Amino acid sequence: MLDDRDRKILDLLQADAGVSVSDLSERVSLSVSACSRRIQRLEESGYIARRIVVLDREKMGVPTTVFALIKTAHHSDEWIESFRRAISSVPEIVEAHRLTGNYDYILKIVLPRVEHYDVIYKQIVRKIELFDVSASISMEILKSGTTIPVSYAG
């Protein structure tokens, strides 16, 4: 069971996973050792899945975002696993979701420029049969982040 201090620790680590334990302990009013034990417990119990660094996409040369909406005529476990393997081998595909509604999947693709989408599209369709692919280019990021609400955790 999480308490308010655990939630505060999780919230602060989401904002900056590189924050020192001593700074963190001050901000949550705990001793360094108590704070360190809590972080270890949160990691061991799976609340902290991993610690990552978020890179600047402009500086990394992939400022363009394309969302590809995919329809397929196949829904077997084997096809889904083949699709998963096909998209997993493409580093430009940073997210993939199975959907309800008119489309079966959506891919978030980061690219150096819009024209590079065709390269990624061809990589995918060489590996897996798709019924329909519709791509949309993101014109502006209105909200983006990696943090999630901590208030729902039990």
Side-chain angles (χ1 to χ4, degrees), residues 1-17 19 24 28 35 38-43 45-51 146-154:
M1 203 64 181
L2 297 183
D3 63 18
D4 288 340
R5 280 196 176 123
D6 291 331
R7 288 185 185 87
K8 177 90 174 169
I9 289 169
L10 291 171
D11 213 23
L12 292 167
L13 285 173
Q14 280 191 105
D16 180 7
V19 66
L24 197 57
V28 296
C35 187
R38 281 185 184 239
I39 293 168
Q40 184 176 3
R41 181 178 47 81
L42 291 166
E43 288 175 330
S45 59
Y47 288 99
I48 298 173
R50 66 180 193 251
R51 297 187 198 195
T146 58
T147 62
I148 60 171
V150 297
S151 58
Y152 298 102

Side-chain angles (χ1 to χ4, degrees), residues 11-149:
D11 213 23
L12 292 167
L13 285 173
Q14 280 191 105
D16 180 7
V19 66
S20 71
V21 177
S22 62
D23 286 345
L24 197 57
S25 66
E26 274 184 41
R27 294 171 77 178
V28 296
S29 303
L30 285 172
S31 70
V32 173
S33 60
C35 187
S36 181
R37 283 192 303 272
R38 281 185 184 239
I39 293 168
Q40 184 176 3
R41 181 178 47 81
L42 291 166
E43 288 175 330
E44 289 170 355
S45 59
Y47 288 99
I48 298 173
R50 66 180 193 251
R51 297 187 198 195
I52 62 168
V53 172
V54 178
L55 303 178
D56 182 290
R57 288 185 39 200
E58 290 279 338
K59 290 185 179 184
M60 298 308 297
V62 287
T64 304
T65 304
V66 172
F67 293 96
L69 291 158
I70 296 173
K71 288 183 184 179
T72 180
H74 306 282
H75 299 281
S76 70
D77 290 343
E78 296 81 22
W79 186 91
I80 293 169
E81 189 53 39
S82 295
F83 180 64
R84 187 185 317 270
R85 280 193 308 274
I87 62 174
S88 293
S89 66
V90 182
E92 292 86 351
I93 300 172
V94 295
E95 286 187 40
H97 300 264
R98 191 165 58 89
L99 305 174
T100 63
N102 295 329
Y103 288 91
D104 298 306
Y105 300 91
I106 187 170
L107 307 179
K108 180 179 178 182
I109 306 168
V110 297
L111 303 166
R113 60 193 173 286
V114 172
E115 295 81 9
H116 194 75
Y117 171 70
D118 192 47
V119 173
I120 304 305
Y121 172 80
K122 288 176 181 174
Q123 284 180 14
I124 297 168
V125 297
R126 267 189 233 113
K127 296 175 185 175
I128 193 90
E129 181 185 347
L130 303 174
F131 177 73
D132 182 45
V133 180
S134 175
S136 295
I137 301 161
S138 173
M139 300 297 291
E140 177 184 11
I141 297 172
L142 301 176
K143 181 178 179 182
S144 176
T146 58
T147 62
I148 60 171

